[in-house]
Every structure is written in C-alpha cells, then in structure tokens.
Amino acid sequence: MDALSIIGIIIALGAIIGGNILEGGHTQSLIQLTAFLIVIGGTLGAIMLQTPFKVFFRSLKMLPWIFKPPKIEGDETISKIVEWSKMSRKDGLLVLESIAEEETEPFSRKCLQMLVDGGEPKAIREIMETDLTQEESRGMSAAKVYESAGGYTPTIGIIGAVMGLIHVMQNLSDPSKLGEGIAVAFVATIYGVGAANLFLLPISSKLKSVVDSRTQHKEMILEGVISIAEGENPFHIEKKLRVYLSES
Amino acid sequence: MDALSIIGIIIALGAIIGGNILEGGHTQSLIQLTAFLIVIGGTLGAIMLQTPFKVFFRSLKMLPWIFKPPKIEGDETISKIVEWSKMSRKDGLLVLESIAEEETEPFSRKCLQMLVDGGEPKAIREIMETDLTQEESRGMSAAKVYESAGGYTPTIGIIGAVMGLIHVMQNLSDPSKLGEGIAVAFVATIYGVGAANLFLLPISSKLKSVVDSRTQHKEMILEGVISIAEGENPFHIEKKLRVYLSES
Amino acid sequence: MDALSIIGIIIALGAIIGGNILEGGHTQSLIQLTAFLIVIGGTLGAIMLQTPFKVFFRSLKMLPWIFKPPKIEGDETISKIVEWSKMSRKDGLLVLESIAEEETEPFSRKCLQMLVDGGEPKAIREIMETDLTQEESRGMSAAKVYESAGGYTPTIGIIGAVMGLIHVMQNLSDPSKLGEGIAVAFVATIYGVGAANLFLLPISSKLKSVVDSRTQHKEMILEGVISIAEGENPFHIEKKLRVYLSES
Amino acid sequence: MDALSIIGIIIALGAIIGGNILEGGHTQSLIQLTAFLIVIGGTLGAIMLQTPFKVFFRSLKMLPWIFKPPKIEGDETISKIVEWSKMSRKDGLLVLESIAEEETEPFSRKCLQMLVDGGEPKAIREIMETDLTQEESRGMSAAKVYESAGGYTPTIGIIGAVMGLIHVMQNLSDPSKLGEGIAVAFVATIYGVGAANLFLLPISSKLKSVVDSRTQHKEMILEGVISIAEGENPFHIEKKLRVYLSES
Amino acid sequence: MDALSIIGIIIALGAIIGGNILEGGHTQSLIQLTAFLIVIGGTLGAIMLQTPFKVFFRSLKMLPWIFKPPKIEGDETISKIVEWSKMSRKDGLLVLESIAEEETEPFSRKCLQMLVDGGEPKAIREIMETDLTQEESRGMSAAKVYESAGGYTPTIGIIGAVMGLIHVMQNLSDPSKLGEGIAVAFVATIYGVGAANLFLLPISSKLKSVVDSRTQHKEMILEGVISIAEGENPFHIEKKLRVYLSES
C-alpha cells in the first residue's frame, strides 16, 4: 500500500480547493463540464492516436500500481537464491527442477528452468538480459504514456481557454458578461495545468520508479542464478547480492 | 488496421468542436481560411527548407502507417525461422536457396542469401546490423519530420495571431470591430497549438513506435539467421526468439 | 560549513525584498497565506504522489547538506591508503583486519574487509563498483526530488494566479477591488517562480554536486584498495590517487 | 541544386505575407527597420560573443549548402573503390599511388595514401576515424550556430517588443497613438519568432543533414579502403558497401 | 585576443540601445537601479546557493578567457613532440628529464615526467586520461555556472516585473501613473532576458569551446607522448598528430 500516493493526492487537491475557498472563490466556479470535456477528450484522443494498442492497454493496467505497487521483497529473494545455491551444490542442479515448477514469479521461474536445462552461464545471461531489457522498456513505454498526456493537457487547456476567449470577444457588446466569460475560459487552463502537474506527471514518475525497482530486483535474481550456474560459494553469493539492497 | 488511431482522432476533434458548441460558440467561428493558410503554409515551408528531399518524401509515404501499420507477425516469423533451421540441419544451408528466392520480405531475403552464400556468422551480423541501423535511422528521420512540424506550428500560429493583433491595433478607432478582430487573431493560435498537439506530435510518436517494432522484428530475424549459420539446435533457436515476443 | 549557501540565500532574499521596498511596494503585499498554501501544498502533494517513500525520506535527510556538507578529506584519505599499502606490503593483508574494524567510513570499511577476506582485485572492483553506483544513483534520485519540485512550483503558482483572476473576473461589478484582486493573484506567481529559482533548483544542483564529490572520493578509495590488493608500490599508489585531487 | 529549400522559403514567406494581406493588413506594417535592427543586431552580437572565430567563419561558408549541397555520389564512389580493389589485388597496393595523386576528394586521397604507404588496416582505421570524427564535429558545430541563433531571436524579439511597450506606456496621455505603438512593438516579436522558425532552425537542420550524409559517405569510403587493405574480394566489398546506399 | 567577443558585445548593445533610440525611447528609461538589483541580486544568490565554492571561484577566474583565451598552439606543440621523439630514439628516454623540468605547460610536464620515470604506455594513458577528464569536467562545471545564471535571470526578471505590476495594481486609483508604473515593471523583464541572451548564455558557450579546445590539445599531447613511450617512428607520430589540426 503506497500511503504517500494517497496523502499526496489529498494534500494537492486540498491545497487547490482550500486555497480557492480562502481566496473567497466558490468551489463551484472551478467545476465546469465543457472545460473538462475539452481537456480530457483532446488529451485522450491525442494519446490514442499516438500509442500502439498494447502500450495503451498496459498503461491502464499499470495505473493501480500508484496505490498498490507490486511487492518486491529483496531479503526474501536473497534467502531463496542462497537456499537454491546450497541445494544445487549438494545435490546437483537437477534438484531445482521441482522448485522451478512451483516458483510463481515468472522471471525467477524462467531463470531456474534455464539452470535445470543445463544452460551455460553466458547463454543464461544473454537470453535473460534480453528478456529483462524488453520487459523494462515495455514498462517504461507504458509509464511514459502518462508523461505524454501531461505534456498535452496544458496546451489543450490553452485551446479551451482561447476558444472561450474568442466566444467572449465576439460578444463584447454585452460587457456585463465579459468577466464571467473570461472566468469560464480560464477554468480550462486550470484543468490543463492541474491535470498535468498534480496527477499525470507525478503518476508517470512513480510508475517509472516502480518499473526501475522491479528491473533491479530481476537483475539481482539473474546475478544470483548465474552465480549458481557457475557453482559459486553460497556465502559469496549472499554477499554479492546484499550490495543491491544496501542502504548507507 | 489501427482502430485506436481513428478513434483517437474522432475523440479529439469531437471534444474540441463539441466543447466549443457547449460553450455556446459557433463552429463557424473556428473556421478561418487565412489562419489556416498561415499555419499550414509557414510550417510546410519550414519543413521543406529543413528536410532533405528523400526524408521529406519518405515521411509522406509513411503517413498511412498511422491507420494501417505494416503487419509484423512475430509468431509466424519464428515458425519460419525454426523451419529453415530444421531444413538446413538436415540438408545443408544450400537448401535455403529456393526459399530465399521466394521470400518477399526484403530483410529476411537478404539474410537468407548471405546464409546461402556461406557467409560467416560474424560477417552476416556485421553487414546486416549496418543495414538494420541504417533502415532504423531512416525511419526515425522520417518520423521526426512530424515532430519538427509540431514544433513549428504553435510558434507560427503565434505569428498569425500577432499579425492579426497588429491589424486590430491599427484600427482601434473602430472599437466595435475590436472583439471580432481579436477573435479572428486567436484562431491562428488554436490552429497552431491544435495541429501540433492533436495531430503532428501524436503522429510522430506512433510512427516511431512502428519503426521501433519493425526494427525489433528484424533484430529477431537476424538473431535467428545467425543462430542457423552457427548450426544451433532448432529447439534452442525457438526458445531464444520467443523472448522477443514474451509479455508478462 | 558551506558559507556560500547562506550568503546566497541572504543575497537573493535581500535583492527581492529590498527591490520591492525600493520600488515603493509594501513587503506586506508580498505576504499572502492563501498563495503560499496553494503553491506549497500543491507541490508537496505532487512530489508525494511521484516519489517512492525511501527517496522522499532521503531527500529530507540530505537537505542539511546545503549548509553543512559531509566532510570529504582527500589528502587525509590518500595518506591513510598509502599507510595501509605500506603495512600490507610489510606484514601481509591480514594486518589490515584491525584497521577495518576501527574504520568508521562505511565504504572504506567494506573495501578493507574484502581485502582482508582475500578478495581478488577483480571481484572487489565488481562488487564495490555496484555498491558505489547504487549509492550514487540513490543520492541523485534524492537530489532530483528538489528539481522536480522546482518544476512544479511555477505551474502551480500559475494555477493559483488563474484561480485568483477568475475570482476577480466574477466580481468585475466592483471595479474598485479590481487592482487589489489582481495583485493578490499575482503573488502566487511570484511564490511559484521564486521558490523554484531562488531555492529548489539551486538546492538540487548543490546536492548533486555533493553526491558527485562523494562518489569521486569513493572511486579514489576503491582505486587505492584495488592497487593494494594488486600489491602495487605505495609510492605509485600515492601518485595515482593524487590525480583525483589535482587542480591546475 | 536543392529545389526543396527554395520552394520552402517561397511557400513560408508567401503564407505569411499572403496571410497578412488576406487579413486586410498592409504588408508595409510588417516592415520596420528598428525591429529588424534590434533582432538581427542583438542575435548577431550574441552569436559573435559565443562562437570561436573558426566556427563562425565556417558557419558562413556552409550557408550556401542550403541551396547547393556538396555532391555525394554513392554509386560512383562504390564503383571507384571496387575498381581500386581489383587493381590492388592484381598488381599490388603500390599501383594505387598514381590514383591517390589524382584523387581530388581529400578524404579519399588521405585514405589511399595511407594504403600506398603500407599502413596496417588497424592503423588506417584509427587515424582516419579520428579525422572523420573531427570533421563531423566541426561541421556540426558550424550547423549549430544557426540553431543557437534561432534560440536567441525570439527572446531578443521580446526585448524589442517590451522596449516598444515601455515607450507606449510612457505616452499613455495620447491614447490615439496607443494602438499604433503597440502594433509597432509587436513587429519585433514577429521578426524574432519568424526568423527562428522560418529560417534559422530549418537551416540548422538542413546543414546537419548534409554533414551527416557526408560523414556516412566517408565512413563508407573508409570501410572500403580498409577492406582493400585486408585484401578482401572485390565482389564482397561491393556487397558490403551497397548496404550504405540501400533503400527499402 | 578574441576580437569577435568584443565586437559581439558592441553590436548587441548597440542594436538594443540604438533600436530604443530609433523607436523614440529615452535610453534613460532603460536604466533602472531597482530592476538591476533584483535581477543581479536574485541570480547571484541562486548561483551562490547552487555552486560549490571551488566551482564558483573557478568560473570567475575563467571569465577573462572571453576576451583573452589561453593560447593553444597546435603546430608548435607537434614540433616539440616530434623533437622529443627524435631525441628519445637517439639517446633514450632519460634525455627528456631536463626537458621535463623546463616545460612550463603543466600537462606536458606531467606526461614527460611519467615518460622519464619509465611508465608503461598503458599506465601513462590510464593516469593522464583520468587527469584530463577531471580537468575537462572541472572546466565544464565552471562554464555551466554562466549557463545556470542565464537560466535564472529571465525568471527572476519576471519576478521583478510581477512585483512592479502588483505595485501598479494597488495604485489603480491614480491612473495617470499607470503607464509609467508598468513601464518600470517591464524593465526588469528586459534586464532578465537581455542578461541571459546577450551575455550569460553566449559567455557559457564560448567558455565551453575554450575548454573543449584545451582538452583536445591535451589529448593530442597525450597521444604523442604515448607514441614516444611505444618507440614509434617520429615521422609517423607527426602524421598521426596532424590529424588533430587538419581543416578541410
């Protein structure tokens, strides 16, 4: 559970809405369907035009990670790898076959299967690094969808504002409505800038961090499995993998 | 058929035009030939001055990919490569000669021909990687033409708007036309920002994605052909190439 | 003690506040709780949504480095390493065991322990370079939190300003308050731009410099320890490490 | 002759001037010596302050490439290299001596001379690649002068506009001249934005493309000459070099 | 003496001031102490907060290079290196000892000393390349101080302008001073944009060019000294180093 994400959203919205109330504005004046339609619709359209279907779909599937990122348990993983290493040194690599079948994390399972199949360390590294790089770049592409969206909303908010201003300008004959009209036009700007800076760009950054942590965790697994393939000492393996978790 | 592209364009245009109607504006007031001429003409001119002829031409030829991207059939290609591998292990590399002749995809054909000509794995990799890199950079250059255009339209829209404002300012003596004049000037801004954010930048991104997928597909083919040249086991080749398609 | 940081803050604030006074403005008119709330709250919320908890926490812990950066004493470190080198050439690497236990700087201690454990130079480099890279990237991520914040404050300041302008526009009927209302709205812009350019971006740069110096210092230690492991001449080691400190 | 460049300039200028006429503006109102002086003078000064003399001079010398890029004849060059390869395989490398003397393209001549002097393939590659990289980075620096200029003109246009507005503001007492004054001020913005987007940035991009093509052409020559030095089969050399020209 | 720098500053200032006079403005109206104080003070403060002391100091020390860049005499240096090469081939490396002592350029002296001390080519390259990279990155950091400053001045100019506008808005009751007030506020914008685009950014670029040339010159020296250590033919050395100076 990523409490910081939830607190962040509450603080940001609270600051904007609370600030508006303190300034004496009505919260109502910030709510405007047309501006919402223009900013969300325009951005969604641009994103759909820009993004291959698979990436678009993955970016939606990854969104809940903001609140509930996938668990990454470094210590536990190291214990498991050290255990595998001990077993394989005692009874040979084939003993890992049943473990590979039971392993639920797909990357670990693939690594273990290559180990059981008697893959050379170099071959395991080559294939699994391609896998890892592909997976990372897929995750990053999906995270960047929100970054792109955050690039579009402010400018599309400006389109909404300018359209509103054009409407105002064409009705200058009734100056009593001038201020109100401009006010409505400006809401599109707030939606555009707010959507980008309070939601879309931070979401993209958080997702990138998650993808990054997962990649690093997998790198650690790969390093460990290759060390097993090379028949390294379990004690040494643990030491080597600990470095990935060290905080100083 | 890339349905997402079509839906994206419809949603984006619908949001802008629908939003304008909801705001009480006339769709007509968004249609203005002069602004269109300035933004399109200025951008087209800048792009023509900037782009070598071949790149300009290729960027036009690649535009339909937005709706109908070239087919990339990973599974089918792997099956073909595994088949080639089996044939060559059974009957020698020369058996691929007739297959090379029948192959329609140019990259695969070139690879196969080098195989049949008895090229060393290292030589095949060197030559075909140069080919692949060249092809990728040509595709990317063409895709970036739309990105450049999307960089020019907003600023040229500003030129149009400022020219309009100058015209308005010179006729302040007739204030009744002030609002209308400013409204007309603002349309150029909408065209500039809209063309960039709703069309040109998304198109560039989508084309880059297509070029990327094609490159990766060719990398997979190259990897497969080199593995055949090295006489690797068909079962192993399949496993290695599968990694390029894996989704987890 | 980083006197330049303190002087910098004084000069910057003095210039802004002094400038305002010289222009005939009241300092008071620059102090406005609502604008402050919007800019700080909005930015803090965006940063919390964007940043993993560990990085957020580390960025807070690193903030005092602005005024009191961690000491990095190159000359002293070189003397220590040369001393270790002499001892180990005379009495063997094991003599460094007690020194490793007494060493307080964690990176040096880890390096010495690997030396005492009889690690191969190549293995020491591999493991400790991973450690160093991880540490550097953690430090840089934390420093970039301030850079991100400095990217958000100006745009969130604009949200505050536009909200203020909307409020003004809706009350055009009372023109006497027009100017005052706009003035209040503009303060949010000053807070946003000022927070970014006078504090957040410079803080991020300074922290990056500190992380950089620490990394380079550790690289020097690692280089020295590896030279000891390779049994190099103490005189040569000193010469090699001096290069890291040379100023010309 | 680069027709696209000429057409581009005509279309861009035509769109701007034609658009202004269609909007009912006088072309005259876009012509203003002061604004021109400020934008051109300010930018030229900044560029001269920024650029080393040699780079400044080279950027001027490269400007005509926009209309008349240096000829790059890939096919012809490949034929020549294949011919050299055949001659050297038949009669030894010394037979290329007279050819080196007659060769007018400096890069080819240098390569041939190294061949005749009996340079090792590795030495030829090392020296000529340094030459090529230096030449490329010199060309790119010169092309970037226009990019820098295109970065300065819009902001200097803003300086011109703000100076004009200051002048207008100081003469508010005569409102009849207000509009005219603002109009004049805005022209500097158009000059700044227009110079950058219609000329300077596109020119920089085109020059970079030319430098790029020349570099790639020289890489091909180098690859060919090294293959000759290694005594490769002329047929193979042709195949290898063809890749540089392939279009698919 | 870098005449281009001086001419550049004169042209830029002449264009701005001359342009203002031609527009009918008083030069006096561009001179305003408060705006100057805000922009310079704010930027200086931000830079001091951001920059480590050594880098700040070096950036000041490097400033005169704008007008008087350190001499780099490629031809002379090559002659010297060729001479050293001839001497060392005739009488052994030790003959360079007295030359090393007399050499005034620190990088050359260090290289020569390593040569005389009998350093292996590989060791010389490793140590002196670290030295060179460190020196280059120190120079670049110092040059980037001006780039950072050029990033701050425009935004701090905006702070000054907005503060001025707030002051104006609070005194709308006296409309006769409105224009004058706005005019004063705008001067801060001109200072901010002008300082960045006419001075700070160009200065940073010029300093980077100087650092670059010095680095390349040192790379050439290093290449030459290593060739001497490897006992290469003086004639070959000259040829190899000439490439660094070639202009075509």
Side-chain angles (χ1 to χ4, degrees):
Chain A
M1 201 59 191
D2 190 335
L4 213 60
S5 289
I6 299 172
I7 300 175
I9 291 179
I10 293 172
I11 290 184
L13 283 182
I16 301 300
I17 297 172
N20 190 47
I21 293 172
L22 283 180
E23 269 186 357
H26 302 282
T27 308
Q28 218 174 335
S29 68
L30 292 184
I31 296 173
Q32 200 197 330
L33 192 69
T34 314
F36 185 81
L37 185 88
I38 292 171
V39 172
I40 297 303
T43 303
L44 187 66
I47 289 295
M48 288 174 104
L49 175 52
Q50 144 167 348
T51 317
F53 181 73
K54 280 185 189 172
V55 180
F56 183 71
F57 187 67
R58 189 177 294 112
S59 75
L60 293 178
K61 242 175 54 187
M62 269 168 61
L63 192 55
W65 285 5
I66 294 300
F67 301 116
K68 208 169 148 40
K71 262 191 198 155
I72 293 173
E73 295 181 331
D75 285 316
E76 205 175 282
T77 304
I78 292 182
S79 311
K80 265 166 54 179
I81 293 174
V82 170
E83 190 54 36
W84 299 342
S85 147
K86 283 180 187 161
M87 288 167 67
S88 74
R89 272 167 76 99
K90 207 174 135 220
D91 302 314
L93 287 166
L94 285 181
V95 85
L96 297 173
E97 188 151 28
S98 61
I99 289 182
E101 276 158 21
E102 284 165 22
E103 176 63 42
T104 53
E105 204 277 309
F107 189 82
S108 297
R109 194 171 54 234
K110 272 194 236 172
C111 286
L112 281 170
Q113 274 165 347
M114 292 201 72
L115 214 53
V116 173
D117 291 356
E120 293 289 306
K122 218 187 112 199
I124 299 181
R125 182 183 294 282
E126 196 190 340
I127 292 191
M128 294 316 293
E129 258 177 11
T130 307
D131 187 300
L132 196 143
T133 313
Q134 295 254 342
E135 180 65 19
E136 184 185 17
S137 87
R138 271 193 291 259
M140 285 299 176
S141 304
K144 275 180 194 159
V145 168
Y146 295 97
E147 189 180 310
S148 292
Y152 290 135
T153 55
T155 49
I156 293 176
I158 288 175
I159 295 181
V162 174
M163 284 197 324
L165 291 177
I166 289 176
H167 186 51
V168 168
M169 290 298 163
Q170 287 173 327
N171 296 288
L172 278 185
S173 49
D174 183 359
S176 70
K177 288 188 173 162
L178 185 65
E180 185 66 32
I182 294 178
V184 169
F186 280 179
V187 172
T189 311
I190 293 186
Y191 283 5
V193 176
N197 289 282
L198 303 181
F199 300 103
L200 294 164
L201 298 178
I203 283 174
S204 178
S205 289
K206 176 76 66 98
L207 291 179
K208 279 182 196 166
S209 293
V210 175
V211 171
D212 228 54
S213 307
R214 280 166 63 95
T215 306
Q216 244 186 335
H217 186 238
K218 283 176 186 167
E219 263 170 22
M220 190 184 79
I221 294 172
L222 179 55
E223 214 51 62
V225 167
I226 286 169
S227 300
I228 294 176
E230 284 171 339
E232 257 186 55
N233 183 317
F235 174 74
H236 259 107
I237 295 179
E238 172 151 20
K239 209 161 167 184
K240 204 153 131 189
L241 301 188
R242 274 283 151 235
V243 171
Y244 282 90
L245 306 183
S246 77
E247 304 268 334
S248 62
Chain B
M1 203 58 192
D2 190 335
L4 213 60
S5 290
I6 299 172
I7 300 175
I9 291 179
I10 294 172
I11 290 184
L13 283 182
I16 301 300
I17 296 171
N20 189 47
I21 293 172
L22 283 180
E23 269 185 357
H26 301 282
T27 307
Q28 219 174 334
S29 69
L30 293 184
I31 296 173
Q32 200 197 330
L33 192 69
T34 313
F36 185 81
L37 186 87
I38 292 171
V39 172
I40 297 303
T43 303
L44 187 67
I47 289 297
M48 289 173 104
L49 175 52
Q50 145 167 347
T51 316
F53 180 73
K54 279 185 190 172
V55 180
F56 183 71
F57 188 67
R58 190 178 294 112
S59 75
L60 293 179
K61 242 176 53 188
M62 270 167 61
L63 192 56
W65 285 4
I66 293 300
F67 301 115
K68 209 171 146 41
K71 262 192 198 154
I72 294 174
E73 294 180 332
D75 285 315
E76 204 176 284
T77 304
I78 292 181
S79 312
K80 264 165 57 179
I81 293 174
V82 170
E83 190 55 34
W84 299 341
S85 146
K86 283 180 187 159
M87 288 166 68
S88 72
R89 271 167 77 100
K90 208 175 132 218
D91 302 314
L93 287 165
L94 285 181
V95 84
L96 297 173
E97 187 150 29
S98 61
I99 288 183
E101 276 159 21
E102 283 164 24
E103 176 63 44
T104 53
E105 204 277 309
F107 189 81
S108 297
R109 193 170 57 235
K110 273 194 237 170
C111 286
L112 282 170
Q113 275 164 348
M114 292 201 72
L115 214 54
V116 172
D117 290 355
E120 293 290 307
K122 218 187 112 198
I124 299 181
R125 182 183 294 281
E126 197 190 341
I127 292 192
M128 293 316 292
E129 258 177 12
T130 308
D131 187 301
L132 196 144
T133 314
Q134 295 255 341
E135 180 65 19
E136 182 185 18
S137 87
R138 271 193 291 259
M140 285 298 175
S141 305
K144 275 182 194 158
V145 168
Y146 295 98
E147 188 180 310
S148 292
Y152 289 135
T153 55
T155 49
I156 293 176
I158 288 175
I159 295 181
V162 174
M163 284 196 326
L165 290 178
I166 289 176
H167 186 50
V168 168
M169 290 298 163
Q170 287 173 327
N171 296 289
L172 280 185
S173 48
D174 184 358
S176 70
K177 288 189 174 162
L178 186 65
E180 185 66 30
I182 293 178
V184 169
F186 281 180
V187 172
T189 310
I190 293 185
Y191 283 6
V193 176
N197 290 282
L198 302 181
F199 300 102
L200 293 165
L201 297 178
I203 283 174
S204 178
S205 289
K206 176 77 67 98
L207 290 179
K208 280 183 196 166
S209 293
V210 174
V211 171
D212 228 55
S213 307
R214 281 166 62 96
T215 305
Q216 244 184 337
H217 187 238
K218 283 176 186 168
E219 264 169 22
M220 190 184 79
I221 294 172
L222 179 55
E223 214 53 60
V225 168
I226 286 169
S227 300
I228 295 177
E230 284 171 339
E232 256 184 57
N233 184 316
F235 174 74
H236 259 106
I237 295 180
E238 172 150 21
K239 209 161 167 183
K240 204 153 133 189
L241 300 188
R242 273 286 150 230
V243 170
Y244 282 91
L245 306 183
S246 77
E247 304 269 333
S248 62
Chain C
M1 201 59 192
D2 190 334
L4 213 61
S5 289
I6 300 172
I7 301 175
I9 291 178
I10 294 172
I11 290 184
L13 284 182
I16 300 300
I17 296 172
N20 191 46
I21 294 171
L22 283 180
E23 268 185 359
H26 302 281
T27 308
Q28 218 173 334
S29 68
L30 293 184
I31 296 173
Q32 199 198 330
L33 191 69
T34 313
F36 185 81
L37 185 87
I38 292 170
V39 172
I40 297 303
T43 304
L44 187 66
I47 288 297
M48 289 173 104
L49 175 52
Q50 146 167 347
T51 317
F53 181 73
K54 280 185 188 172
V55 180
F56 183 71
F57 188 67
R58 189 177 294 112
S59 76
L60 293 179
K61 242 175 55 187
M62 270 167 61
L63 192 56
W65 285 4
I66 294 300
F67 301 116
K68 208 169 147 41
K71 263 191 197 156
I72 293 173
E73 294 180 334
D75 285 318
E76 206 175 282
T77 303
I78 292 181
S79 310
K80 264 165 57 178
I81 293 173
V82 170
E83 190 55 34
W84 299 342
S85 147
K86 283 180 187 159
M87 288 167 68
S88 73
R89 272 167 76 101
K90 209 175 133 218
D91 302 314
L93 287 166
L94 285 181
V95 84
L96 297 173
E97 188 151 29
S98 61
I99 288 183
E101 278 159 19
E102 283 165 23
E103 178 63 42
T104 53
E105 203 277 309
F107 188 82
S108 296
R109 194 169 56 235
K110 273 194 237 172
C111 286
L112 282 170
Q113 275 165 349
M114 292 201 72
L115 213 53
V116 173
D117 291 355
E120 293 290 306
K122 218 188 113 199
I124 299 181
R125 182 183 295 280
E126 197 190 340
I127 293 191
M128 294 316 293
E129 258 177 10
T130 308
D131 188 300
L132 196 143
T133 313
Q134 295 254 343
E135 180 65 19
E136 183 184 16
S137 88
R138 272 193 291 259
M140 284 300 175
S141 304
K144 274 179 195 161
V145 168
Y146 296 97
E147 189 180 310
S148 292
Y152 290 135
T153 55
T155 48
I156 293 176
I158 288 174
I159 294 181
V162 174
M163 285 198 323
L165 291 178
I166 289 176
H167 187 51
V168 168
M169 290 297 163
Q170 287 173 327
N171 296 288
L172 279 185
S173 49
D174 184 358
S176 71
K177 288 187 174 163
L178 186 65
E180 186 67 30
I182 294 178
V184 169
F186 280 179
V187 171
T189 311
I190 293 186
Y191 283 6
V193 176
N197 290 282
L198 302 181
F199 300 103
L200 293 164
L201 297 178
I203 283 174
S204 177
S205 289
K206 176 75 67 99
L207 291 179
K208 280 183 196 165
S209 293
V210 175
V211 171
D212 228 55
S213 306
R214 281 166 61 96
T215 305
Q216 245 186 335
H217 186 239
K218 283 175 185 168
E219 263 170 21
M220 191 184 79
I221 294 171
L222 179 55
E223 213 52 63
V225 168
I226 286 169
S227 301
I228 294 177
E230 284 171 338
E232 256 185 56
N233 183 316
F235 174 74
H236 259 106
I237 294 179
E238 172 151 21
K239 209 159 166 185
K240 204 153 129 189
L241 301 187
R242 273 287 150 233
V243 171
Y244 282 91
L245 307 182
S246 77
E247 305 269 333
S248 63
Chain D
M1 202 59 191
D2 189 336
L4 213 61
S5 290
I6 300 172
I7 301 175
I9 291 179
I10 293 172
I11 289 184
L13 283 182
I16 301 299
I17 296 171
N20 190 47
I21 293 172
L22 283 180
E23 268 185 358
H26 302 282
T27 307
Q28 219 174 334
S29 69
L30 294 184
I31 296 174
Q32 199 197 330
L33 192 69
T34 313
F36 185 81
L37 186 87
I38 292 171
V39 172
I40 297 303
T43 303
L44 188 66
I47 288 297
M48 289 174 104
L49 175 52
Q50 145 167 347
T51 316
F53 181 73
K54 279 185 189 172
V55 180
F56 183 71
F57 188 67
R58 188 178 294 112
S59 75
L60 294 178
K61 243 176 52 188
M62 270 167 63
L63 192 55
W65 285 4
I66 294 300
F67 301 115
K68 208 171 148 38
K71 262 191 199 155
I72 294 173
E73 295 180 332
D75 285 316
E76 205 176 283
T77 304
I78 291 182
S79 312
K80 265 164 57 178
I81 293 173
V82 170
E83 190 55 34
W84 299 342
S85 147
K86 283 179 187 159
M87 289 167 66
S88 73
R89 271 166 77 101
K90 207 174 133 218
D91 302 314
L93 287 166
L94 286 181
V95 83
L96 298 173
E97 188 151 30
S98 61
I99 288 183
E101 276 159 20
E102 282 164 24
E103 177 63 43
T104 54
E105 204 276 310
F107 188 81
S108 297
R109 194 170 56 235
K110 274 195 236 172
C111 286
L112 282 170
Q113 275 165 348
M114 291 201 72
L115 213 55
V116 172
D117 291 356
E120 294 289 307
K122 216 188 114 199
I124 299 182
R125 183 184 294 280
E126 196 189 342
I127 293 191
M128 294 316 293
E129 257 177 12
T130 308
D131 188 300
L132 196 143
T133 313
Q134 295 255 341
E135 180 66 19
E136 184 185 16
S137 86
R138 271 194 291 260
M140 284 300 175
S141 305
K144 276 181 194 159
V145 167
Y146 296 98
E147 189 180 309
S148 292
Y152 290 135
T153 54
T155 49
I156 293 176
I158 287 174
I159 295 181
V162 174
M163 285 198 323
L165 290 178
I166 289 176
H167 187 52
V168 168
M169 291 297 163
Q170 288 172 326
N171 297 288
L172 280 185
S173 49
D174 184 359
S176 70
K177 288 187 173 163
L178 186 64
E180 185 67 30
I182 293 178
V184 169
F186 281 178
V187 172
T189 310
I190 293 186
Y191 283 6
V193 176
N197 289 282
L198 302 181
F199 300 103
L200 294 165
L201 298 178
I203 283 174
S204 177
S205 289
K206 176 77 67 99
L207 291 179
K208 280 182 196 167
S209 293
V210 174
V211 170
D212 228 55
S213 307
R214 281 166 62 95
T215 305
Q216 244 185 335
H217 187 238
K218 283 175 185 167
E219 264 169 22
M220 190 183 79
I221 294 172
L222 179 54
E223 214 52 61
V225 168
I226 286 169
S227 301
I228 295 177
E230 284 171 338
E232 254 183 59
N233 183 315
F235 174 74
H236 259 107
I237 295 180
E238 172 151 20
K239 210 160 165 184
K240 204 153 132 188
L241 301 187
R242 272 287 149 230
V243 171
Y244 283 90
L245 306 183
S246 77
E247 306 268 333
S248 63
Chain E
M1 203 58 193
D2 189 335
L4 213 61
S5 290
I6 300 172
I7 300 175
I9 291 178
I10 294 172
I11 290 184
L13 283 182
I16 300 299
I17 297 171
N20 190 46
I21 293 172
L22 283 180
E23 269 186 358
H26 301 282
T27 308
Q28 218 174 334
S29 68
L30 293 184
I31 297 174
Q32 198 197 331
L33 193 68
T34 314
F36 185 81
L37 186 87
I38 292 170
V39 172
I40 297 303
T43 304
L44 188 66
I47 289 296
M48 289 173 104
L49 175 52
Q50 145 167 348
T51 318
F53 181 73
K54 279 186 188 171
V55 180
F56 183 71
F57 188 67
R58 188 178 295 111
S59 76
L60 293 178
K61 243 176 53 187
M62 270 167 61
L63 192 56
W65 285 4
I66 294 300
F67 301 116
K68 209 170 147 39
K71 263 192 197 154
I72 294 174
E73 293 181 333
D75 284 317
E76 206 176 283
T77 303
I78 292 181
S79 311
K80 265 165 55 179
I81 293 173
V82 170
E83 189 55 35
W84 299 342
S85 147
K86 283 179 187 160
M87 289 166 67
S88 73
R89 272 167 77 101
K90 208 175 131 217
D91 303 314
L93 287 167
L94 285 181
V95 85
L96 297 173
E97 186 151 30
S98 60
I99 287 182
E101 277 160 19
E102 283 165 23
E103 178 63 43
T104 53
E105 204 276 310
F107 189 82
S108 297
R109 194 171 55 234
K110 274 194 235 172
C111 287
L112 282 170
Q113 275 165 348
M114 291 201 72
L115 213 54
V116 173
D117 292 355
E120 293 290 307
K122 218 188 112 199
I124 299 181
R125 182 184 294 280
E126 195 189 343
I127 293 191
M128 294 315 293
E129 257 177 12
T130 308
D131 189 300
L132 196 143
T133 313
Q134 295 255 343
E135 180 65 19
E136 184 185 16
S137 87
R138 271 193 292 260
M140 284 300 175
S141 304
K144 275 180 194 160
V145 168
Y146 295 98
E147 189 180 308
S148 292
Y152 290 136
T153 55
T155 49
I156 293 176
I158 287 174
I159 295 181
V162 174
M163 285 198 323
L165 291 178
I166 289 177
H167 187 51
V168 168
M169 289 298 162
Q170 289 173 325
N171 297 287
L172 279 185
S173 49
D174 185 359
S176 70
K177 288 187 174 164
L178 185 65
E180 185 67 31
I182 294 178
V184 169
F186 280 179
V187 172
T189 310
I190 293 186
Y191 283 6
V193 176
N197 290 282
L198 302 181
F199 299 103
L200 294 165
L201 297 178
I203 283 173
S204 178
S205 289
K206 176 76 68 97
L207 291 179
K208 280 183 196 166
S209 293
V210 174
V211 171
D212 228 55
S213 306
R214 280 166 61 96
T215 305
Q216 244 186 336
H217 186 238
K218 283 175 185 168
E219 263 169 21
M220 190 184 79
I221 294 172
L222 179 55
E223 213 52 61
V225 168
I226 285 169
S227 300
I228 295 177
E230 284 171 338
E232 256 185 56
N233 183 316
F235 173 73
H236 260 106
I237 295 179
E238 172 150 20
K239 209 160 165 185
K240 203 154 132 190
L241 301 187
R242 271 291 147 230
V243 171
Y244 283 90
L245 307 183
S246 76
E247 306 268 333
S248 62

